[in-house]
Amino acid sequence: MKKRRPGILYVVFVIAFIVLLAGMNSMILLGIDDTEKFVKSDRSFESNSRVFLNLSELETYSDLSESLYVGGWAFCETESNNADKAYDIILQNEDNTYIVHAKAVTRRDVGGNVGGKKVASTLNGIEVRASTIGVKDGTYRLLIHVWENEDNYGLIDTGFKIIKSKDQFEELKYELITAPVNAEISEAVKKNAKVALQNDVLRISGWCFIEELDTDNQEVMIMTQTTDGERIYSARKGSRLDVMTHFENDDYLYSGFEVEIPDWEGIEAYAVCIKVGDEVLRTEWEAIDLPLE
């Protein structure tokens, strides 16, 4: 008896399937190639002007390109034409720096006068979605360089952090500090904070500053008193135009802070800490009555 050979139709089907699969992979790769990408860079960014920033959207996508979306607005005060205004979105840690370049987009709600500041035009929007496929695993700070024109440009650390690994690609919303921190209680630390428990996460947010000191690069930590001792968390900073305007002091622009603590059980009190050089100043303990509504 002769062995049956695969039918011609079957062979044709297998070949067609392989060709189709290869074509789909090529289309996917082409799609990624057409996407803006973060690229490794050793470029240094100069700054001669203060950046006024409001970063309202930060999204990570677990798609094939592992893309990151950044949205909001930013500007430096300038009296010169800024028709070619652009941004560099920067991911940076101790080992690597990656950037993606983007043109400014129109934000008609941000122009003329913002927080008492003169804005050259409505070209202040940030809308960037870029692939991080070439970014090495690690934890990265998110910085933005604003280039208004040849006269005015500035660099700002947004306070946001991104963590990327084999199993994780997301915003780092809190970080437990394991190194000992010696904090001194000081009346120079001013703050206004609220505490809320939402979706089983403890959220502490508000504003803080040390009188007459610049908040652009201030480092804020939340010290907690628990039934098992003290725990300290790094807080994400944010812009607070309302605080800057109220106190009539540009130095308080980045006085905003926020921390989300999922392991909140046992926390009884908190204090706001601000690092100044090698010193850490803090507020008095403030009790937290859990559970909060």
Side-chain angles (χ1 to χ4, degrees):
M1 181 181 293
K2 293 182 178 180
K3 293 184 179 180
R4 297 182 63 184
R5 296 179 180 178
I8 294 176
L9 288 177
Y10 174 77
V11 174
V12 170
F13 172 78
V14 171
I15 294 173
F17 179 76
I18 294 172
V19 171
L20 178 63
L21 187 62
M24 289 178 64
N25 287 336
S26 297
M27 289 175 65
I28 290 170
L29 290 173
L30 281 172
I32 294 176
D33 286 342
D34 289 341
T35 304
E36 293 288 344
K37 299 182 188 68
F38 281 93
V39 296
K40 192 169 183 179
S41 174
D42 57 1
R43 176 183 165 191
S44 60
F45 293 90
E46 297 182 353
S47 181
N48 67 4
S49 303
R50 169 167 276 160
V51 175
F52 295 82
L53 169 74
N54 181 22
L55 199 58
S56 55
E57 294 181 83
L58 183 70
E59 295 288 342
T60 55
Y61 296 89
S62 299
D63 52 16
L64 287 171
S65 64
E66 298 180 333
S67 55
L68 173 69
Y69 176 80
V70 180
W73 56 259
F75 67 87
C76 299
E77 287 189 287
T78 184
E79 295 183 358
S80 303
N81 184 287
N82 71 340
D84 295 323
K85 179 174 177 175
Y87 303 108
D88 284 294
I89 312 300
I90 306 162
L91 293 175
Q92 186 176 74
N93 62 18
E94 292 182 356
D95 300 316
N96 296 293
T97 298
Y98 300 88
I99 67 171
V100 62
H101 189 73
K103 288 287 188 180
V105 298
T106 299
R107 280 286 299 259
R108 299 194 182 283
D109 60 325
V110 185
N113 187 296
V114 178
K117 301 302 169 186
K118 184 179 178 182
V119 185
S121 73
T122 56
L123 281 175
N124 302 301
I126 303 172
E127 291 183 9
V128 180
R129 181 167 176 169
S131 169
T132 65
I133 200 73
V135 175
K136 290 185 177 180
D137 290 353
T139 300
Y140 293 87
R141 296 182 299 137
L142 178 66
L143 299 90
I144 296 180
H145 185 258
V146 181
W147 192 87
E148 293 282 348
N149 45 50
E150 292 183 356
D151 298 324
N152 300 100
Y153 40 86
L155 179 69
I156 186 68
D157 185 336
T158 67
F160 286 84
K161 291 182 179 180
I162 301 295
I163 183 168
K164 185 182 179 186
S165 66
K166 180 180 178 182
D167 304 313
Q168 193 176 17
F169 178 49
E170 61 186 6
E171 177 193 347
L172 185 64
K173 294 189 175 180
Y174 88 105
E175 190 173 10
L176 184 63
I177 297 173
T178 56
V181 175
N182 296 316
E184 177 185 343
I185 297 173
S186 173
E187 293 183 355
V189 179
K190 306 300 178 185
K191 66 96 177 171
N192 185 307
K194 61 180 180 180
V195 182
L197 189 60
Q198 300 172 335
N199 300 321
D200 206 30
V201 173
L202 184 67
R203 183 173 182 267
I204 304 174
S205 60
W207 56 262
C208 67
F209 58 78
I210 295 175
E211 291 180 302
E212 305 306 325
L213 287 187
D214 186 353
T215 60
D216 284 21
N217 297 300
Q218 79 173 8
E219 183 178 343
V220 179
M221 297 171 284
I222 302 299
M223 179 180 290
T224 62
Q225 199 173 53
T226 76
T227 51
D228 299 323
E230 294 179 359
R231 293 202 298 263
I232 302 175
Y233 301 87
S234 63
R236 186 184 72 198
K237 77 173 181 182
S239 61
R240 290 293 299 260
L241 279 169
D242 58 332
V243 177
M244 180 193 78
T245 303
H246 176 77
F247 289 99
E248 299 181 342
N249 192 328
D250 291 359
D251 287 340
Y252 301 157
L253 174 61
Y254 294 103
S255 58
F257 72 88
E258 179 181 58
V259 65
E260 295 181 2
I261 306 173
D263 53 338
W264 54 267
E265 292 86 352
I267 293 179
E268 300 175 337
Y270 79 96
V272 176
C273 308
I274 301 178
K275 187 176 181 180
V276 183
D278 295 328
E279 282 189 305
V280 178
L281 304 181
R282 74 170 179 90
T283 62
E284 298 274 4
W285 289 113
E286 188 164 334
I288 298 177
D289 296 322
L290 294 171
L292 300 166
E293 294 185 359

